Amino acid sequence: MSGITYDYMQEYLRSLIPESSGKYLELEKFAEENMVPIVQKETAKFLEFIVSMKKPLRILELGTAIGYSAILMYEASKTNPKITTIERDKNMIELAEKNFEKYGLTEQVEIKEGECLEVLESLNEAYDLIFMDAGKGHYNHFLPHCLRLLAEDGIIVADNVLFRGMVATDELVKKRKITIVKRMREYLDIVSKDKNLITSVIPMGDGIAVTKRR
Ligand SMILES: C[S@@+](CC[C@H](N)C(=O)[O-])C[C@H]1O[C@@H](n2cnc3c(N)ncnc32)[C@H](O)[C@@H]1O
């Protein structure tokens, strides 16, 4: 059980998504074989949809891993966007660099090595879309920077906000995850209650929150 939705619902929704091919299949296989966490299939589809609607020129991603979601967002936008993506793990950076090179995206994607919070503090450009997919226990700390960096009409997409259902009910909370869960609840509270923001939380994948200014 995913803790987010009924198994039959997840299976059905997944069955609607066409089989991956080409580079995506290759990257998904690599991620699975090497236990690299990448966006779930339905989250990937949602991201593709949002990006193709928004047509961002500048994208900021928190959590590069092997570059799967960055490549997906680049292709979905059709705007030749500039992507800045933050990653602290040197092995991941090496793998992502190879993938960006292999798929001709070296010019368009800049990897910033380091802790998200520190890198965020150093950024000053405006981004049309910010994808949060790293440091689940710190989204509430990343938020002020993401809002500072968000273009007037920009969108923040935050993944894993329901964290296997634990964020929605104490019954599922594992003791060692209590801090992450508390902080994620704080994040969702802020983005949902701030009168200047509009947020929709979607019980899909591991839970996605989409936020923009009113
Ligand atoms: C879920 S994976 C990102 C997956 C990627 N967005 C995709 O779907 O293809 C999260 C990545 O963020 C990195 N990470 C986690 N916490 C971080 C932090 N505080 N600062 C920088 N990177 C972090 C991890 O090393 C990991 O590679």
Side-chain angles (χ1 to χ4, degrees), residues 2-3 39-40 44 56 75 85-86 93 97 102 104 126 128 135 142 162 170 187 192 196 200 204 211 214:
S2 70
V39 281
Q40 296 186 22
E75 294 208 331
T85 179
I86 309 172
I93 292 176
E97 273 171 352
K102 184 169 174 188
D128 306 307
F142 301 155
L162 296 175
D170 284 341
Y187 175 81
S192 303
N196 298 314
S200 182
M204 179 200 275
T211 299
R214 279 190 188 275

Side-chain angles (χ1 to χ4, degrees), residues 9 13 46 85 87 113 120 122 129 139 150 158-159 163 166 170 178 182 200 202 207 209-213:
M9 187 64 73
L13 295 181
F46 178 78
T85 179
E87 176 60 60
E113 182 178 344
L120 281 168
S122 73
L129 190 132
Y139 283 12
L150 193 66
D159 195 14
F163 195 25
M166 285 185 253
D170 284 341
I178 284 177
K182 276 190 184 158
S200 182
I202 305 160
V210 194
T211 299
K212 72 183 286 298
R213 289 194 182 86

Side-chain angles (χ1 to χ4, degrees), residues 130-143:
I130 299 179
F131 179 45
M132 277 195 203
D133 194 21
K136 284 188 273 295
H138 297 282
Y139 283 12
N140 57 339
H141 304 135
F142 301 155
L143 183 65

Side-chain angles (χ1 to χ4, degrees), residues 39 44 73 98 109 175 188:
V39 281
M73 291 192 283
K98 279 189 189 140
V109 184
K175 239 185 180 171
L188 289 178

Side-chain angles (χ1 to χ4, degrees), residues 37-39 61 63-65 68-69 87-89 114-116 133-135:
I38 59 168
V39 281
E61 176 179 66
T64 318
Y68 178 83
S69 51
E87 176 60 60
R88 67 180 175 193
D89 183 321
E115 282 293 323
C116 285
D133 194 21

